[in-house]
Amino acid sequence: MSERAKTIDARGLSCPQPVLLVMDAIKTTSSNELIVLVDTDTSRENVIRAAGSQGWQVKEIETENDEYKIILEK
């Protein structure tokens, strides 16, 4: 049975902190999906690049009020 998608709230954090949180979550989750909340273009791009290096893909990106909800899947 797969774990429910974990949500990582990295809003207000500067890089590399969002990337480090995502990398830790990737290492520890048994879910095939992660939800990442960030609030800068740089964090969005760095999280996507880091997740991609671990074999994760972007399923969906939602933008609202200069914040991003990135849904990643394995």
Side-chain angles (χ1 to χ4, degrees):
M1 180 177 207
S2 179
E3 180 179 313
R4 198 171 131 194
K6 180 176 184 174
T7 299
I8 302 159
D9 187 353
R11 293 175 292 183
L13 302 177
S14 300
C15 276
Q17 289 174 307
V19 170
L20 295 174
L21 291 173
V22 169
M23 296 302 275
D24 283 346
I26 285 174
K27 290 177 186 173
T28 59
T29 189
S30 62
S31 174
N32 290 330
E33 190 172 280
L34 290 174
I35 299 169
V36 185
L37 307 175
V38 295
D39 56 3
T40 67
D41 292 338
T42 302
S43 293
R44 181 194 65 200
E45 294 305 316
N46 288 343
V47 163
I48 292 170
R49 189 176 313 113
S53 75
Q54 300 300 309
W56 287 68
Q57 299 176 343
V58 175
K59 180 178 179 183
E60 184 178 343
I61 299 176
E62 297 176 13
T63 305
E64 185 174 321
N65 299 327
D66 295 328
E67 295 182 350
Y68 303 97
K69 178 179 179 181
I70 307 166
I71 302 173
L72 301 170
E73 67 181 358
K74 194 179 339 182

